[in-house]
Amino acid sequence: MKKITWLTLLIICFIDFSRAQDQTQQLTNIQKGNYLSYLTTRNSSGKYEGGLRDLTYRITSIKDYRIFPEHKEVYMIRGGDPDRPDKDKELMFLPDNEAYPITYIEKVFEGNKSMQEELGFAPRINPYTDGNRLVFLDQKIYMIENWKDKDNYTLLAVLEYQPKKVSKFKLMKETMKSPKKMNALQPHEKLQQYLDTAFKKQKEHYATWIKKAENANKVAHTKSVLDLTLKAIKKKNEDWRNSAEYKRIKERNQMAKSHAQNSYAIVINQTGQDIYLYAEGSNNGSVIRNGSSVSTIDCTKNQYYTFSAGMSSREGTKIITANQSCGLQVIVK
């Protein structure tokens, strides 16, 4: 029988402790800066195929959570275009649980700035983004989509911190090494082990945590802020829709729509190539690209098309007869 050394016991205890840590504790090992995104796609035999996403993944800021300061607000560029950094959108991620978070969720605070300053902060409930989550684990970030619960989600990638800017050469090398790296890491198994352990811990910890009056009051207050903010937004929308100005604008929009229906036709180009449209008697054609459409074609005049620029209506094929196609779609095949 093999002896269990103190070192072995220490390693086992460390692994168990790591699995039991909540996300805010794990977050202390996450650095701000750029990350490489290792894909976690597996083939039919369960082997990781590897690959990297050549997009921008960056932790831009980590701040105290405004509602529960013992946790954090994590700000991140999640899949930005490296060639268009001006288009990068910073997303905020908040803990999924006040007592013991096991994931961080993509969130925004409900209401506008003045509401937040006056009433306080409450995370918006949004089914379209609540499935986007991060799990911080052993200095890596596990990127999740379609989260339903701890057993139903899609692991998209594992993000690994890069202290320096990654060159094209290094990116190519990392891409080649990525299948071996992911097969060694076994990210699905590692993540699921953490979630199973942490979820059990979350339930136990929250049951005790919520019994404290201070915590229960804070949770209730946050819900009150959310309810009041939503009520204020609803009332503002109702007041807006009931205003005389809103009704005037709606009436003008309806008149404009009616005018458009009486004056314009929609031409859809399905010919397989670009076409050029000419009003009768005109030498100035407007191009409609293959597979696209134009909704502002004057239907009060005969309209002709050709496949070449620099021609005229005399050389084209008629597709619209004056005043007979207004408000309709005309498909050119």
Side-chain angles (χ1 to χ4, degrees), residues 4-134:
I4 299 177
T5 65
W6 283 107
L7 179 60
T8 305
L9 285 172
L10 190 62
I11 292 170
I12 292 170
C13 289
F14 176 77
I15 292 170
D16 287 341
F17 174 73
S18 176
R19 287 179 185 169
Q21 283 186 316
D22 72 32
Q23 282 298 282
T24 303
Q25 292 169 317
Q26 287 280 348
L27 190 52
T28 60
N29 296 317
I30 296 296
Q31 299 188 65
K32 290 185 288 184
N34 292 313
Y35 284 74
L36 276 183
S37 172
Y38 291 84
L39 297 175
T40 54
T41 307
R42 292 180 287 189
N43 60 26
S44 57
S45 62
K47 294 288 185 182
Y48 287 92
E49 297 176 342
L52 273 77
R53 274 204 174 112
D54 188 16
L55 298 173
T56 302
Y57 295 89
R58 182 186 306 123
I59 299 292
T60 55
S61 182
I62 300 173
K63 304 176 183 178
D64 287 344
Y65 187 13
R66 276 167 273 194
I67 304 173
F68 296 92
E70 62 270 29
H71 299 303
K72 299 296 179 183
E73 298 171 8
V74 179
Y75 294 85
M76 180 184 189
I77 306 298
R78 186 178 182 269
D81 184 345
D83 296 324
R84 293 298 306 272
D86 56 309
K87 297 290 185 181
D88 284 347
K89 183 181 179 183
E90 188 180 60
L91 303 175
M92 178 176 71
F93 290 81
L94 299 177
D96 66 353
N97 185 277
E98 303 91 343
Y100 194 97
I102 64 171
T103 68
Y104 266 58
I105 312 176
E106 182 184 332
K107 286 286 188 182
V108 296
F109 290 120
E110 191 58 84
N112 57 35
K113 187 177 179 181
S114 61
M115 286 179 177
Q116 292 166 3
E117 289 175 349
E118 192 169 346
L119 300 177
F121 294 90
R124 177 178 295 170
I125 298 170
N126 187 342
Y128 296 104
T129 59
D130 285 354
N132 299 336
R133 304 201 177 198
L134 304 176

Side-chain angles (χ1 to χ4, degrees), residues 197-236:
T197 304
F199 181 72
K200 183 180 178 183
K201 186 79 173 177
Q202 183 186 73
K203 288 181 69 177
E204 294 170 353
H205 189 70
Y206 188 82
T208 304
W209 182 89
I210 197 66
K211 288 178 182 177
K212 292 184 179 179
E214 180 186 358
N215 296 334
N217 290 339
K218 211 166 188 180
V219 170
H221 176 73
T222 303
K223 186 178 184 306
S224 297
V225 170
L226 178 62
D227 291 344
L228 185 57
T229 302
L230 291 173
K231 193 180 293 184
I233 292 170
K234 183 180 178 184
K235 186 177 186 307
K236 189 175 181 180

